[in-house]
Amino acid sequence: MLILEDIHTHYGKIEALHGVSVEINEGEIVTLIGANGAGKTTLLMTVCGSPQASAGRVVFEGRDITKEPTSQIMRSGIAIVPEGRRIFSGLTVKENLHMGGFFNTKSEIRESQEHVYELFPRLKERESQRAGTMSGGEQQMLAIGRALMSKPRLIILDEPSLGLAPLIIKQIFEIIGKLRDDGMTVFLVEQNAHQALNLADRGYVLETGRIRLHDTGANLLVNPQVREAYLGG
Amino acid sequence: MATSNVRHALFCAIVTIVISYPILGLNLEAEGINIVLTGTDATTIVAIACAALIVFLFQLFRDSVMGKLGAVSDLNPLTGRKPMEQDKRAKLESWVLTGLVVVALFWPFFSSRGAVDLATLVLIYVILALGLNVVVGLAGLLDLGYVAFYAVGAYTFALLSQYYGISFWMALPLGALLAGLFGLLLGFPVLRLRGDYLAIVTLGFGEIIRILLNNWTNVTGGPNGIGGIPDPTLFGMEFGRRVKEEGNTSFHETFGIAYSGEHKVIFLYLIALVLAIITALIIRRLMKMPVGRAWEALREDEIAARSLGLSRTAVKLSAFTIGAFFAGFAGTIFASKQGFISPESFVFLESAIILAIVVLGGMGSQIGVILAAIAVTILPELAREFSEYRMLIFGAAMVLMMIWRPQGLVPMRRLHITLKTQE
C-alpha cells in the first residue's frame, strides 16, 4: 500500500536518512522503532512531503507521491497523528474533529464523527469542551479521532504513547488494534518498543538513518539485539 | 525581602529622576544665534521630585497596592454572572446591533459638522481594524506594515482621479482590488516566515511603500502629496456649491434646498457607515465559512493544520489578500474625505495604532475591535487639552488594559456551527 524505496532525506546539507526502504501492506500494523535521533520522525515527515526526499521514491497505492505538495498528500487517503498531539487547543473537541474532515461533505463529517465517538466515548462527553483543557490521554484520543475524520486508508501515528500513563497507553494501543480489525492500515512509530512490537504485525528497527532489522513483531520481540538495545535486556 | 523591596524602589525612583530631569528640567533657549542651556523653574523641579517620591512609594508598597487593584475585578457585578444562553444572546445581540445601525444612520442629521467628520474617521478605522483583524486576529500573522495597503488604496484613487479623472465609485473597487493584489504580492515572500520575522518583513514593506510614494516625485508628487481629490457623487449629483464637471448637477439644486457644506460631510459619513457595515458582514460570513476555520487552524497550530491537508500557501495568502483588500477600501474613503493625501498620512504609527485597536478590542472579536476603534479614535480627540501627553495617556491605557483584560475589551467568542443530527 505504501512503499518507500531507498529514501534519502536531507536537512540542508546534513543527510538524515541514508537510503531507507519500508513496505506497508494493506490491513497490517507496521511499527518503526528506534532511539532518539534515529530518524523516525524524519521518515514520517518525508512520507508527508515536508521535507521532500532528495532521492528515492514514495509510492502510495501505486501512485508516486514523492514530489507532491504536503497538502495534496494529506488529502489522498493518508492521515497523520503528529508527534506531541498538536490538537487545536482553543477550539472545542467537536470543532477539532470537524477540522479533521475539512475536505469532506457534511454528511461524511456526520458519519465519521459518529464513528469517532463510538471508538472514543469519552470524546462525546467532552464534545463542547475546549480541547486544551483536557488531559493528555484525552488529547491523544482527540488527535487520533481528528486524523480519522478524513476517512483515511492509511493512518500514521507518531509516538502516540508520548508522555502518557501506562494505563492510558494500553487503551490507546487497544484502539489501534481495533482500527486494524476495521480494515485500516496503521504505520506506528514508537519509542515504547515493547508494546509496539507486541501489537504490530511487522516491525522495522531504524538506527542513525538506516534500517538495521526487519522482521515480524513477534520475532523482533525475542531478537537478542533488539532486546538489548530497546527492551532493556 | 523587605530590603530588596527598598532597594528596588530606590532604584526606580533614581531612574525616574534620571529620565525626567533632562527632559523636563532643562530648557534650551535661543539667545541670538547661540543656544543656551538653562535650568527650569522651581515648580518643575518640585514636580519631578514628587514624581520620584510617588514612584518610590508605589514600588515600595507595590505588592499590597497591586493586590488591592487585582481585587477590584471582584467588585464587578458582571464577573459572577452566568453566561446567557447562546440563542438568547444571539437574538439580543442582533437587536442591539440593528438599533445601533439605525441610530448611526440618523444621528449625523442632529449633530455638529465636526462630530460627523470625526465619526467618518472612526468608521475608516473600523474598516481598517476589521481588515487587520483577519490577518492578525484570525490567521495569527503579525502584520506591522498594514498601513501600506491603506496607502495603496488612497493613492490609487488619488492618482487615477488626477491622471484619468476617475470618480470615487469607480476607484472604490479598483483601490480595494489593487491593495488586495499588493497583499497577495507581499504574501508570497513571507509565506515561510512566522512571528517576529514576519513582523519585521511586513514592517519593511510598509516603509518601502511610504518611501516609494515619497520619492517618486513626478508621479506621486512626493512629499507635496496629491490634492484636489474629488468628492463622491450621488448618482452624478455633486455636493459642491458649484458643479465642477460638465453635465453633472449639484445636490442642493436638484432637491431645491439651500446649499450647506454639511451635506457633503454627512454623505461621506453615510458612505463610510455603509462600507463599514458591508465589511463587517463580509468578514463575519468569511469567519463562518471553511476559509475562516482554516485561518484559525493555521493560527492555532501550523503543523497540525498542514497535517490535515490544508495548504499553508492558500490559507496565508487568502488572509493577506482579504485583509489588504479592506485596507484599500478604507484608503479610498480616506482620500475622498481628506481631498488631499501625502505620504505623511501613512507612517508606521498608523500601522501601530490599527494593531493596537485589534489587540485592545480582542483578537478575532468583531464587536471588540469596533468598540476599540471608536475608543482609540475618539479618546485622543477628547483629550485634546492634554495634547502633549496624549500618547502618554494612550500608552498608560494600553498597559492598564493588558493588566486587567489581556484578552481585549470583548474577547473573541467562537462562532459555533452545529450539525443537525440525522433523525
Side-chain angles (χ1 to χ4, degrees):
Chain A
M1 184 178 213
L2 179 72
I3 301 165
L4 303 178
E5 271 176 23
D6 193 30
I7 294 288
H8 294 256
T9 301
H10 286 78
Y11 286 117
K13 279 187 178 172
I14 300 162
E15 192 176 76
L17 297 176
H18 318 284
V20 174
S21 298
V22 170
E23 194 178 339
I24 297 163
N25 301 317
E26 199 169 341
E28 58 177 5
I29 298 183
V30 174
T31 186
L32 181 74
I33 60 173
N36 285 331
K40 304 189 296 293
T41 299
T42 306
L43 185 66
L44 293 191
M45 298 301 277
T46 308
V47 173
C48 300
S50 166
Q52 290 187 341
S54 38
R57 285 198 331 146
V58 184
V59 181
F60 179 63
E61 294 180 328
R63 194 161 59 97
D64 189 342
I65 58 170
T66 323
K67 296 289 172 210
E68 277 186 24
T70 305
S71 54
Q72 202 58 50
I73 296 172
M74 303 319 297
R75 286 181 223 171
S76 59
I78 301 180
I80 185 167
V81 180
E83 188 177 3
R85 307 189 275 269
R86 292 194 171 271
I87 50 158
F88 301 116
S89 54
L91 274 57
T92 65
V93 168
K94 197 171 181 176
E95 287 164 339
N96 262 281
L97 291 179
H98 288 186
M99 281 310 301
F102 195 85
F103 296 98
N104 297 30
T105 62
K106 278 191 174 174
S107 60
E108 282 174 324
I109 290 179
R110 202 151 31 213
E111 207 176 293
S112 18
Q113 183 183 312
E114 285 311 307
H115 177 62
V116 170
Y117 284 158
E118 253 170 57
L119 281 176
F120 304 103
R122 181 68 67 84
L123 292 184
K124 192 174 172 66
E125 291 167 28
R126 302 277 157 120
E127 197 174 60
S128 47
Q129 189 176 330
R130 269 171 46 125
T133 61
M134 298 199 301
S135 75
E138 289 162 344
Q139 290 188 14
Q140 186 65 60
M141 290 176 192
L142 177 58
I144 296 174
R146 186 180 64 185
L148 291 174
M149 286 298 286
S150 63
K151 301 200 160 191
R153 295 179 292 282
L154 168 70
I155 184 166
I156 301 174
L157 298 124
D158 195 355
E159 302 218 12
S161 73
L162 193 74
L164 297 182
L167 202 67
I168 308 287
I169 296 178
K170 205 176 145 224
Q171 277 180 21
I172 299 274
F173 276 82
E174 270 167 20
I175 296 286
I176 297 171
K178 214 187 272 179
L179 288 179
R180 172 188 46 189
D181 300 342
D182 289 349
M184 192 164 299
T185 313
V186 181
F187 188 23
L188 174 65
V189 170
E190 261 301 338
Q191 292 236 34
N192 200 327
H194 188 79
Q195 250 148 332
L197 290 175
N198 246 331
L199 181 71
D201 299 304
R202 292 185 299 116
Y204 289 85
V205 178
L206 192 67
E207 227 172 75
T208 57
R210 286 189 178 82
I211 296 288
R212 278 277 167 251
L213 288 163
H214 164 221
D215 211 331
T216 63
N219 284 350
L220 284 176
L221 258 184
V222 293
N223 183 307
Q225 276 173 286
V226 174
R227 291 197 71 87
E228 181 157 357
Y230 302 104
L231 300 172
Chain B
M1 168 76 202
T3 48
S4 82
N5 237 4
V6 172
R7 270 171 59 188
H8 174 73
L10 208 58
F11 176 72
C12 290
I14 290 170
V15 169
T16 310
I17 294 173
V18 167
I19 291 177
S20 53
Y21 183 71
I23 295 176
L24 299 171
L26 299 175
N27 281 342
L28 288 176
E29 276 169 23
E31 258 178 33
I33 54 160
N34 295 321
I35 291 175
V36 183
L37 192 68
T38 52
T40 185
D41 52 274
T43 35
T44 313
I45 306 256
V46 171
I48 292 171
C50 282
L53 189 69
I54 291 172
V55 168
F56 177 74
L57 288 176
F58 175 74
Q59 291 297 338
L60 197 59
F61 301 109
R62 190 177 51 171
D63 295 346
S64 56
V65 170
M66 287 316 277
K68 291 233 174 64
L69 284 182
V72 168
S73 66
D74 295 343
L75 298 175
N76 186 341
L78 299 180
T79 39
R81 214 181 44 164
K82 260 192 181 170
M84 231 182 274
E85 274 168 52
Q86 181 105 19
D87 42 343
K88 206 174 154 191
R89 187 173 159 160
K91 219 177 220 173
L92 187 74
E93 247 179 36
S94 62
W95 274 111
V96 170
L97 283 178
T98 320
L100 280 179
V101 168
V102 170
V103 170
L105 273 175
F106 291 104
W107 164 80
F109 297 102
F110 307 101
S111 191
S112 75
R113 181 183 175 146
V116 177
D117 212 31
L118 177 62
T120 311
L121 192 67
V122 168
L123 288 168
I124 290 174
Y125 275 101
V126 166
I127 299 175
L128 283 171
L130 285 173
L132 186 64
N133 196 20
V134 169
V135 185
V136 178
L138 293 175
L141 306 164
L142 184 51
D143 184 351
L144 292 182
Y146 191 62
V147 76
F149 308 123
Y150 185 36
V152 168
Y155 266 89
T156 304
F157 179 26
L159 291 171
L160 285 179
S161 79
Q162 194 177 34
Y163 292 107
Y164 302 102
I166 276 182
S167 75
F168 173 80
W169 294 109
M170 283 291 285
L172 189 65
L174 284 178
L177 285 175
L178 203 64
L181 185 69
F182 269 77
L184 194 68
L185 288 180
L186 171 67
F188 275 107
V190 303
L191 274 177
R192 298 178 162 275
L193 305 175
R194 242 176 296 171
D196 319 0
Y197 305 103
L198 178 70
I200 297 287
V201 174
T202 52
L203 175 67
F205 179 75
E207 287 300 285
I208 289 172
I209 294 282
R210 188 178 64 81
I211 292 168
L212 186 77
L213 293 174
N214 217 353
N215 290 292
W216 198 2
T217 322
N218 43 12
V219 176
T220 66
N224 296 332
I226 301 174
I229 302 168
D231 301 322
T233 54
L234 177 67
F235 302 116
M237 289 181 277
E238 286 187 13
F239 281 85
R241 191 182 289 275
R242 269 180 298 280
V243 176
K244 281 180 190 156
E245 217 170 303
E246 288 286 315
N248 277 359
T249 50
S250 74
F251 178 76
H252 62 107
E253 277 171 0
T254 313
F255 287 91
I257 45 177
Y259 168 76
S260 156
E262 266 183 42
H263 292 156
K264 184 193 110 185
V265 179
I266 293 177
F267 182 55
L268 253 171
Y269 165 85
L270 291 177
I271 290 177
L273 181 68
V274 168
L275 288 179
I277 293 171
I278 291 175
T279 306
L281 290 179
I282 291 178
I283 293 178
R284 199 178 161 75
R285 185 84 204 117
L286 286 173
M287 278 162 75
K288 284 188 197 166
M289 278 164 53
V291 65
R293 287 185 289 137
W295 289 334
E296 284 190 69
L298 197 77
R299 177 193 66 200
E300 292 258 333
D301 196 318
E302 190 170 319
I303 291 180
R306 294 180 67 203
S307 85
L308 300 175
L310 294 174
S311 158
R312 178 171 62 177
T313 320
V315 177
K316 278 192 181 175
L317 284 182
S318 64
F320 260 113
T321 312
I322 287 170
F325 179 86
F326 288 110
F329 240 35
T332 316
I333 306 170
F334 177 74
S336 184
K337 170 182 172 297
Q338 300 294 93
F340 165 82
I341 50 167
S342 74
E344 243 173 79
S345 306
F346 308 106
V347 291
F348 169 65
L349 186 68
E350 288 292 312
S351 289
I353 287 179
I354 305 165
L355 185 64
I357 292 174
V358 173
V359 175
L360 273 178
M363 301 249 232
S365 146
Q366 281 201 301
I367 300 211
V369 164
I370 292 171
L371 287 179
I374 295 171
V376 169
T377 327
I378 290 184
L379 279 185
E381 294 297 325
L382 294 180
R384 268 220 181 277
E385 286 160 44
F386 316 100
S387 53
E388 288 168 40
Y389 303 106
R390 261 157 74 187
M391 286 326 273
L392 193 68
I393 295 172
F394 188 55
M398 286 288 272
V399 171
L400 288 178
M401 273 293 296
M402 289 301 110
I403 293 175
W404 277 309
R405 288 197 76 100
Q407 302 251 280
L409 283 173
V410 183
M412 181 182 182
R413 196 165 42 84
R414 295 197 32 72
L415 297 164
H416 289 271
I417 303 155
T418 35
L419 285 176
K420 287 186 197 84
T421 41
Q422 247 166 355
E423 306 301 317

